[in-house]
Amino acid sequence: MSHRYCGRDFQPEEIALIRALIAEDPTRRRAALSRLTCQALAWHTVNGGLKDMSARVAMLRMHNDGLITLPPPRNRRPDARVRLSALSDPQPRLERPASALGPLTWSRVQHKAQSRLWNELIERYHYLGHTLLPGAQLRYLVYAAEQPVAALGFGAAAWMCAPRDRDIGWSHAQRERHLHRVVNNARFLILPWVHSKNLASMLLAQAARILPEDWLAVYGYRPLLLETFVETPRFRGTCYKAANWTCLGQTKGRGKLGQAGKQSEPIKDIWIYPLDRRFREVLTR
C-alpha cells in the first residue's frame, strides 16, 4: 500500500529505502537524510534541483505517522510566530482613486527587512493571518510613492480542485506533470487605511504582467495559470471579476485533509486567470 505525502505517492519499497538510509548512519542529520532521499528516489524540481524541502516535510509526516523513525532534531525549532512592531502600525487614511496614486512600485520580498514587514502586515490585517506559503512562492509589497498600500503572496496551487481540473481537462498524470505551472494567489491585502477606487483590480492586472517574468527569473519556467479562492460570503470577488478573472464554481469546504462529504472549512469561490491563452493545450500534454 502506498502513502501520499507532498504530492507524491511513496511505495512500500521506497519507504523501506528511507528506513535503510536512516539505519546505515545514526549520526546523519535530518537535512542530510532529505537530500539523500531525493537522490535515491530521483525526486527533483522542474529545474533539476533536489526537492529536499518537500522531502523533509514528507519524512516528518512519515515519522509522525509511525512509518519511519527520524533521528532527533539537533537544533531547537525556530519560533514561527510573527511579533508585531511599529513597522506595521496604522497609517493616516489615504483616500484617492487608483488613477491619482501615481506610479505603483512593486517590490519583490527578498531581504529580511522586507520579509518582516510583509509578515507583520499580513498577520495584523489579513483575515487569514500569516502562515508560510507552500512550495515555490513569491511575495510582493506595493508602494505608492514611499507608502506601502498592498501586500500580495503567490504560492503552490491546490493539489486537487474539481472545477479547475474539469475546466483544464487534464488527467491525473497530466496534473502531476504540470501542476507547478499553476500558481495560487494565496494572499491579497490592501491595507485598511487605503481607500482607493479600482486599486484592487489594477493590482491584479499588474500582477498578471509582473509575476510570470519574476517566476521565470527565480524558478526557471513561466506559470500558465493563476488561481485563487475567495471565501463567501465574506467577500464577493468583485475585484477579480473586474480584472477579468473567471469564477468556476465553489469548493466543497473539505480542505486538504477533510473527509469526503464533510465540510471542515468555509466554502470558497474558485477563480482563475490565464497567463497564456494556450494554457489548456500545454497543461493537457
Side-chain angles (χ1 to χ4, degrees):
M1 174 180 156
S2 66
H3 297 267
R4 188 169 195 82
Y5 299 98
C6 297
R8 189 187 195 281
D9 291 318
F10 290 83
Q11 303 303 319
E13 59 271 22
E14 293 177 321
I15 293 174
L17 184 150
I18 295 171
R19 290 195 197 107
L21 288 173
I22 295 170
E24 73 181 12
D25 185 354
T27 66
R28 277 183 182 144
R29 303 180 73 166
R30 293 184 176 192
L33 284 167
S34 68
R35 290 191 293 272
L36 288 170
T37 295
C38 287
Q39 291 166 357
L41 302 182
W43 197 10
H44 297 98
T45 64
V46 292
N47 55 5
L50 296 177
K51 254 192 154 173
D52 55 320
M53 290 306 297
S54 293
R56 202 174 306 184
V57 172
M59 292 167 70
L60 182 58
R61 291 177 182 167
M62 291 179 196
H63 174 86
N64 293 337
D65 290 343
L67 295 173
I68 64 173
T69 302
L70 288 170
R74 298 281 183 90
N75 300 314
R76 229 169 117 184
R77 192 172 180 178
D79 188 349
R81 290 175 298 177
V82 176
R83 289 178 168 79
L84 302 181
S85 72
L87 284 172
S88 58
D89 281 350
Q91 300 298 308
R93 184 181 178 93
L94 176 60
E95 190 161 6
R96 200 180 306 159
S99 58
L101 287 176
L104 298 176
T105 302
W106 285 65
S107 178
R108 182 160 64 84
V109 173
Q110 301 182 71
H111 306 297
K112 190 172 181 179
Q114 294 172 309
S115 183
R116 180 181 174 187
L117 176 58
W118 193 94
N119 293 347
E120 282 197 36
L121 292 173
I122 294 295
E123 176 66 22
R124 197 164 189 170
Y125 302 114
H126 196 285
Y127 80 103
L128 291 174
H130 174 266
T131 56
L132 295 176
L133 300 183
Q137 59 181 267
L138 293 179
R139 294 176 294 159
Y140 294 93
L141 294 164
V142 184
Y143 294 83
E146 300 297 318
Q147 182 174 352
V149 295
L152 295 90
F154 299 85
W159 169 243
M160 287 193 296
C161 175
R164 178 204 66 193
D165 297 339
R166 282 195 300 269
D167 183 81
I168 294 171
W170 54 12
S171 65
H172 176 81
Q174 289 166 340
R175 188 181 71 231
E176 280 197 326
R177 194 155 56 242
H178 298 304
L179 185 64
H180 64 280
R181 305 292 293 273
V182 182
V183 174
N184 187 295
N185 176 206
R187 293 291 185 273
F188 183 17
L189 171 69
I190 293 179
L191 297 173
W193 53 88
V194 178
H195 299 266
S196 182
K197 187 178 180 181
N198 299 326
L199 177 60
S201 57
M202 177 187 287
L203 290 172
L204 290 171
Q206 292 181 354
R209 295 193 299 269
I210 292 168
L211 179 82
E213 295 296 327
D214 285 351
W215 204 274
L216 174 64
V218 175
Y219 295 110
Y221 64 92
R222 290 180 185 275
L224 299 176
L225 184 69
L226 292 174
E227 69 177 18
T228 198
F229 298 87
V230 176
E231 185 178 321
T232 56
R234 182 189 291 267
F235 303 108
R236 293 182 297 169
T238 306
C239 63
Y240 288 97
K241 184 176 181 179
N244 295 318
W245 288 54
T246 300
C247 184
L248 298 179
Q250 292 189 318
T251 64
K252 300 294 185 183
R254 291 199 296 266
K256 286 184 179 179
L257 304 176
Q259 296 181 20
K262 290 189 177 181
Q263 182 181 339
S264 59
E265 293 189 356
I267 301 293
K268 296 180 180 180
D269 286 338
I270 304 156
W271 294 80
I272 63 166
Y273 184 87
L275 298 172
D276 187 312
R277 62 186 177 184
R278 296 168 45 254
F279 75 97
R280 291 186 186 88
E281 177 188 338
V282 178
L283 295 177
T284 54
R285 285 176 183 166

